[in-house]
Amino acid sequence: MNYFDLVNKCLVELNYKQVNAFSELTKNDHKKIKNIINLVNTEVCNYDNWDFKLRKTTINLPAKTTEIDNPIDGRIASVVIDGHVYKYFDKPDVYINGDAPTKTWGRFNDKLLLPEFDEDKSINIVYYTANSVVDAEGNEKKYLEDETDKSMIPEIFTESVLVYGTCMRLKANPQHVKFGYWMSMFNSALATMRAKIQIDADSTPYVNMRRY
């Protein structure tokens, strides 16, 4: 379901008139809906460490180097060097002074802090991307902008999460006749998403229910 489909689904749910082309989305309500879809999409994608946002990359650490520019746009899940997983150490001042524990890595502003090696090293990094959208060519980006852009949220959950979440946020009135229904569908979709997407069968899903 692309950006245009999502907007039209919201219009139907709100009893507004649908449009035939993306270029017709010019009214204030259209702009509000488009903006809120993006807000809900970004919030949900950042809501948890979803498996669909996992990415991996390899970077080079030159010999005798302990600081490199951070190339990761997102949250780092693991750093692996020579088959060993290095743990995050959250005291950059200690790291910079060379007193950090062994097999650790750190961060300072836009720099990654890493151990010093006598030879070049390949650093394998697994991370959660900061992007939440994919365009028609498969390129990732942060926001829905074009008609054919799609959310990274799995298709089976897209409508329930983004359409009902947007309608709930747009009206933001518990007294509205459909507010309870929208909130129930939105929270149910989030709960199902957490339960279905978990890879580890021993993980226990939970849900934070929020009222908008």
Side-chain angles (χ1 to χ4, degrees):
M1 184 175 291
N2 62 35
Y3 194 18
F4 181 51
D5 296 330
L6 288 169
V7 175
N8 259 337
K9 286 280 188 180
C10 289
L11 292 174
V12 170
E13 193 64 32
L14 293 161
N15 292 321
Y16 293 168
K17 184 180 179 180
Q18 285 185 286
V19 297
N20 296 315
F22 194 71
S23 58
E24 296 176 17
L25 297 170
T26 57
K27 296 181 179 179
N28 285 337
D29 281 342
H30 295 158
K31 294 175 182 178
K32 288 179 182 178
I33 289 170
K34 290 169 69 177
N35 182 55
I36 294 173
I37 288 174
N38 263 305
L39 288 173
V40 174
N41 184 59
T42 301
E43 286 182 5
V44 170
C45 284
N46 292 331
Y47 176 79
D48 203 350
N49 289 332
W50 302 111
D51 293 334
F52 60 80
K53 296 192 70 177
L54 273 174
R55 304 289 183 270
K56 65 178 180 178
T57 191
T58 300
I59 61 175
N60 182 62
L61 177 67
K64 304 297 183 180
T65 303
T66 59
E67 294 185 18
I68 58 173
D69 291 335
N70 182 7
I72 305 302
D73 187 14
R75 299 193 303 274
I76 294 176
S78 66
V79 172
V80 180
I81 306 174
D82 292 337
H84 299 288
V85 177
Y86 281 58
K87 294 184 177 181
Y88 176 64
F89 186 66
D90 62 355
K91 296 179 180 179
D93 53 332
V94 176
Y95 209 106
I96 292 170
N97 289 333
D99 296 324
T102 58
K103 289 188 170 55
T104 61
W105 65 276
R107 187 186 69 177
F108 182 70
N109 293 331
D110 58 349
K111 299 285 187 181
L112 291 182
L113 307 177
L114 296 157
E116 182 178 328
F117 297 96
D118 292 330
E119 66 279 340
D120 292 357
K121 291 289 182 179
S122 291
I123 313 296
N124 296 308
I125 298 178
V126 176
Y127 66 99
Y128 294 92
T129 177
N131 294 315
S132 303
V133 175
V134 179
D135 68 16
E137 285 72 44
N139 301 308
E140 295 184 1
K141 57 185 187 179
K142 286 186 168 61
Y143 304 109
L144 295 155
E145 298 169 312
D146 303 316
E147 176 179 352
T148 54
D149 287 347
K150 291 186 176 182
S151 167
M152 284 186 184
I153 295 172
E155 186 79 18
I156 190 172
F157 303 112
T158 305
E159 180 175 350
S160 296
V161 170
L162 296 183
V163 174
Y164 296 127
T166 297
C167 293
M168 179 176 64
R169 179 74 67 87
L170 180 69
K171 291 306 179 181
N173 179 8
Q175 302 307 314
H176 189 283
V177 64
K178 297 188 75 173
F179 184 88
Y181 169 73
W182 292 332
M183 184 172 69
S184 174
M185 294 297 288
F186 174 77
N187 284 325
S188 176
L190 273 185
T192 305
M193 226 167 104
R194 286 191 60 91
K196 295 288 186 182
I197 291 178
Q198 287 285 355
I199 291 178
D200 182 2
D202 293 327
S203 296
T204 303
Y206 64 91
V207 179
N208 257 338
M209 300 185 70
R210 303 171 181 172
R211 182 180 291 273
Y212 292 96

